[in-house]
Amino acid sequence: MKDLETLVRPNIWRLKPYSSARDEFKGEASVFLDANENPYNAPYNRYPDPLQWQLKEKIAVLKGVNINSIFLGVGSDEPIDLLYRAFCEPAIDNALAIDPTYGMYKVCADINNVEYRTVRLNDNFDFDPDNLLSKADSNSKLLFLCSPNNPSGNSFAAEKIEYILKNFQGIVIVDEAYIDFSATPTLLKKLDQYPNLVVLQTFSKAWGSAGIRLGMAFASKEIIQIFNKIKYPYNINRLTQEHALKLLDRSDEIRAWVKELVAERENLRQELSKLPIIQHIYPSDANFLLTKTCNAQALYDYLVGRGIIVRNRNKITLCENCLRITVGTPDENRILVDALKEIKL
């Protein structure tokens, strides 16, 4: 990895961040006259903790990481965007990724006017590390790997990811949005070993809280400090923080949800495999199944007519005639399978 100062955009490295009233004050107080807040309608009249320390304390214990290695964003999309803004000079630098993968990596690259270079996965949705690294040059600042990957659902071998970490000169982002559904270990334990590693996780999937839009980024203290310099002052609202704090006290319940969903994933796979319209089901470590069908568009339209919404991935690289099906409750999965049994193409 290059020196961090070399990787960060010069204007970001020199940036003096906005200092909010709550950033400047530390300790206990009973009268707050510093932030031009309305004194009525407590507690929602007060700005939330800009660095979410109480929430981070619980996450640090749960994840086994240093509290200073945690950044909380509006979904995972906020830290993805911050990575481009911190490290990539528009119209000069570039980012690397596999194809197909999560679409927001490219969208954020386009928004920030950053070249986005991809390497096509093979027919098993896997990649060759040297082939991916061959796309890099002196202006390659970011490399994205989603594992388990979306839309394919497969995890990448730890050896391949570590090879990338050892040989890529920029920042390697491993998106673990679906890691809770996988037997593959998280890379959080590798943060101290690889200063160029950023791990993304989320409350949207296993934690059943997509509606609160809360994502987590884990990295070295130095990278987290850069995120904090350029994020908006109060990016995580009080209601989101309160919900997440309560949710973290229910970790046993969340683990039970995950166990049930993994079991349902296998049940759904078995039921779908019996249907002649399903030609192939790809292995999945996530909470969804990528299925190759005889006619994805016709199946999608038919299911919409039955009030069942799946994701049509027909136009995505390597996903011709594929539907991505999220694992639902046993009843929801049964409704889907029963509807597919009735279709005549």
Side-chain angles (χ1 to χ4, degrees):
M1 173 186 172
K2 295 178 182 177
D3 179 74
L4 190 61
E5 184 176 356
T6 303
L7 289 172
V8 176
R9 293 172 61 194
N11 65 304
I12 299 298
W13 189 263
R14 296 190 302 266
L15 178 70
K16 182 178 180 181
Y18 175 80
S19 180
S20 71
R22 295 300 182 262
D23 282 320
E24 295 171 354
F25 168 76
K26 296 291 186 296
E28 298 295 328
S30 57
V31 177
F32 290 96
L33 303 174
D34 59 332
N36 301 335
E37 300 155 324
N38 189 319
Y40 305 109
N41 194 38
Y44 302 108
N45 59 325
R46 302 299 180 191
Y47 287 110
D49 178 359
L51 292 174
Q52 313 94 32
W53 287 116
Q54 187 180 2
L55 186 50
K56 287 178 180 177
E57 286 175 2
K58 286 194 173 186
I59 293 172
V61 173
L62 181 69
K63 301 291 185 179
V65 299
N66 189 295
I67 192 171
N68 294 309
S69 289
I70 305 171
F71 174 84
L72 299 180
V74 181
S76 294
D77 296 334
E78 183 178 7
I80 290 169
D81 183 60
L82 290 178
L83 283 158
Y84 281 104
R85 289 200 276 148
F87 293 101
C88 294
E89 202 66 65
I92 296 176
D93 292 328
N94 64 76
L96 276 59
I98 54 176
D99 184 31
T101 194
Y102 180 46
M104 279 304 296
Y105 309 145
K106 184 179 188 308
V107 171
C108 284
D110 292 343
I111 290 171
N112 288 282
N113 194 22
V114 173
E115 181 187 358
Y116 184 76
R117 301 178 178 181
T118 62
V119 168
R120 183 187 175 107
L121 297 176
N122 63 28
D123 290 343
N124 295 318
F125 291 102
D126 205 353
F127 71 97
D128 175 72
D130 286 318
N131 188 26
L132 181 55
L133 290 170
S134 72
K135 297 290 184 178
D137 61 22
S138 59
N139 291 321
S140 299
K141 297 293 186 67
L142 306 176
L143 189 154
F144 290 92
L145 285 172
C146 186
S147 182
N149 192 29
N150 178 11
S152 52
N154 59 307
S155 298
F156 299 118
E159 295 80 9
K160 291 187 177 183
I161 297 177
E162 292 203 50
Y163 184 85
I164 294 289
L165 283 162
K166 291 173 182 175
N167 291 280
F168 184 62
Q169 294 299 301
I171 306 298
V172 178
I173 303 95
V174 181
D175 190 341
E176 293 186 341
Y178 302 96
I179 195 67
D180 298 279
F181 305 102
S182 174
T184 304
T186 175
L187 285 175
L188 290 180
K189 303 300 182 186
K190 302 287 185 178
L191 287 176
D192 291 338
Q193 186 176 345
Y194 297 108
N196 60 333
L197 172 62
V198 176
V199 176
L200 302 180
Q201 293 188 7
T202 179
F203 279 83
S204 295
K205 310 303 179 185
W207 291 86
S209 294
I212 70 169
R213 305 304 302 127
L214 185 60
M216 298 169 279
F218 304 90
S220 69
K221 175 183 176 181
E222 291 74 19
I223 291 177
I224 298 300
Q225 287 174 336
I226 292 168
F227 286 169
N228 287 334
K229 283 178 69 173
I230 60 178
K231 78 174 184 71
Y232 291 119
Y234 302 104
N235 61 324
I236 307 299
N237 68 70
R238 178 185 288 271
L239 294 171
T240 292
Q241 293 188 45
E242 288 176 350
H243 178 88
L245 283 167
K246 294 175 183 176
L247 198 62
L248 287 165
D249 290 332
R250 299 164 56 195
S251 56
D252 289 342
E253 183 180 355
I254 276 67
R255 280 191 285 269
W257 291 348
V258 170
K259 185 178 180 180
E260 179 178 341
L261 286 170
V262 169
E264 275 303 305
R265 181 181 69 197
E266 176 58 21
N267 292 338
L268 181 60
R269 187 196 66 79
Q270 292 181 15
E271 290 300 314
L272 291 174
S273 66
K274 299 174 184 176
L275 303 177
I277 55 175
I278 303 297
Q279 298 179 344
H280 184 69
I281 303 172
Y282 293 92
S284 177
D285 286 331
N287 66 331
F288 60 83
L289 294 171
L290 184 68
T291 61
K292 190 173 184 64
T293 74
C294 58
N295 189 328
Q297 188 62 54
L299 278 178
Y300 176 80
D301 292 341
Y302 165 77
L303 290 172
V304 168
R306 297 288 296 263
I308 303 168
I309 311 302
V310 297
R311 194 77 190 272
N312 187 354
R313 300 282 75 188
N314 183 48
K315 296 182 180 180
I316 302 298
T317 303
L318 296 173
C319 296
E320 183 180 0
N321 277 324
C322 284
L323 298 177
R324 194 192 69 194
I325 301 172
T326 304
V327 179
T329 65
D331 286 343
E332 290 172 331
N333 298 334
R334 191 178 309 109
I335 291 170
L336 168 72
V337 172
D338 288 345
L340 290 174
K341 287 178 180 178
E342 296 176 13
I343 189 171
K344 293 179 175 61
L345 293 179

